[in-house]
């Protein structure tokens, strides 16, 4: 399974500012990792969700993203790709991939590599494509949502590819979520009017500027007129939103 890629070296300069570790989501990841002490984080980016009390080996192909790790106090990352991890079999207690697999050129090979180098759990934070339509963004940015849907694998495909014993958990997203993916702003719609916020959500890179502008203009008009709040205003007071965010954890059969 392969996909079109998003170039973080060209468009990821401010990624670390709006895509930060949210501690409430991190708690799910930490629970999945359990007592593992050595962890490989593949597609590590700027270091979100890396546990600070463990030994973490980060792997990241983008120079722009690797440079942002220092700003966030994260250790340097190895230059590498998921499809060919430069480590022996079962080198780590656990493996993690946080909102990254949809960027991998050969997703199947990358996931097999995660399983190969981990002797314990593999934790993947991703989005379920069949649940993306539940977000109100569909009313304003259907092309963006469709671009996302095509990039994410189904949960069934993931569990089959990973093997082992798999558990899938829907992760509630808090209203003031620090990790600026699209659903993080379910109750803060004004965020989508900010070009930097959109720039750090890769799906926008798969639609034309004209298409994006049309949707943003519609949202801005509905916010000004009160139409958005009349239809969706209850989200501003909803402490959590259960959308498409999923944590899949595979443990080996042994």
């Amino acid at each position: 399974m392969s996909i079109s890629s998003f170039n973080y070296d060209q468009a990821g300069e401010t990624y670390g500012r709006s895509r930060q570790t949210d501690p409430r989501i991190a708690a799910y990841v930490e629970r999945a990792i359990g007592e593992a002490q050595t962890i490989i984080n593949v597609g590590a980016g700027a270091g979100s969700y890396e546990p600070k009390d463990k030994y973490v080996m980060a792997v990241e192909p983008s120079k722009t993203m690797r440079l942002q790790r220092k700003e966030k106090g994260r250790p340097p990352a190895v230059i590498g790709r998921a499809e060919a991890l430069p480590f022996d079999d079962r080198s780590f207690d656990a493996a993690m991939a946080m909102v990254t697999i949809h960027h991998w050129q050969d997703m199947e090979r990358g996931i097999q590599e995660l399983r190969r180098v981990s002797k314990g759990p593999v934790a993947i934070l991703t989005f379920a494509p069949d649940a993306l339509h539940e977000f109100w963004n569909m009313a304003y940015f259907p092309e963006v949502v469709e671009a996302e849907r095509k990039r994410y694998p189904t949960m069934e495909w993931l569990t089959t590819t990973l093997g082992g014993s798999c558990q899938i958990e829907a992760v509630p997203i808090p209203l003031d979520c620090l990790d600026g993916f699209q659903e993080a702003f379910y109750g803060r719609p004004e965020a989508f009017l900010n070009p930097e916020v959109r720039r750090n959500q890769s799906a926008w890179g798969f639609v034309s500027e004209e298409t994006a502008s049309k949707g943003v203009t519609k949202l801005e008009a509905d916010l000004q007129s009160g139409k958005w709040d009349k239809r969706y205003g209850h989200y501003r007071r909803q402490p959590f939103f259960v959308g498409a965010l999923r944590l899949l954890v595979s443990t080996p059969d042994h």
Side-chain angles (χ1 to χ4, degrees), residues 11-12 16 19 32 57 61-62 89 106 131 134 140 159 165 179 186 222 237:
R19 301 298 300 271
M57 175 62 70
S62 167
D89 295 357
D106 186 337
E134 297 175 8
Y140 296 93
T159 56
S165 177
D179 192 349
Y186 71 88
D222 283 1
R237 303 178 297 278

Side-chain angles (χ1 to χ4, degrees), residues 15-53:
Y15 188 88
R17 289 209 294 259
S18 61
R19 301 298 300 271
Q20 302 181 41
T21 298
D22 186 276
R24 291 146 297 189
I25 296 175
Y28 285 81
V29 178
E30 291 167 7
R31 185 163 61 247
I33 291 171
E35 298 181 358
Q37 294 300 307
T38 60
I39 301 161
I40 182 170
N41 184 19
V42 181
S48 291
Y49 301 105
E50 292 178 2
K52 294 183 178 180
D53 60 342

Side-chain angles (χ1 to χ4, degrees), residues 1 13 17 22 31 33 35 45 65 85 122 124 152 165 188 206 208 213 232 237 242:
M1 184 174 186
E13 295 87 352
R17 289 209 294 259
D22 186 276
R31 185 163 61 247
I33 291 171
E35 298 181 358
M65 300 302 289
L85 295 176
V122 173
I124 297 177
Y152 288 108
S165 177
R188 297 173 288 162
F206 293 89
S208 68
S213 179
Y232 305 111
R237 303 178 297 278
V242 179

Side-chain angles (χ1 to χ4, degrees), residues 132-210:
L132 289 170
H133 68 281
E134 297 175 8
F135 185 33
W136 56 259
N137 247 16
M138 274 292 293
Y140 296 93
F141 315 118
E143 297 88 355
V144 175
V145 177
E146 179 61 14
E148 288 283 73
R149 188 190 65 78
K150 291 178 179 179
R151 300 168 68 209
Y152 288 108
T154 65
M155 296 298 103
E156 292 77 12
W157 184 89
L158 270 175
T159 56
T160 299
T161 304
L162 265 172
S165 177
C166 293
Q167 293 185 331
I168 301 170
E169 191 167 13
V171 181
I173 302 163
L175 181 59
D176 58 347
C177 185
L178 299 179
D179 192 349
F181 49 83
Q182 291 190 53
E183 289 183 343
F185 300 107
Y186 71 88
R188 297 173 288 162
E190 290 81 5
F192 290 103
L193 307 183
N194 184 340
E196 183 173 305
V197 168
R198 300 195 304 272
R199 190 162 51 246
N200 292 320
Q201 298 167 347
S202 62
W204 294 88
F206 293 89
V207 301
S208 68
E209 290 186 13
E210 180 182 1

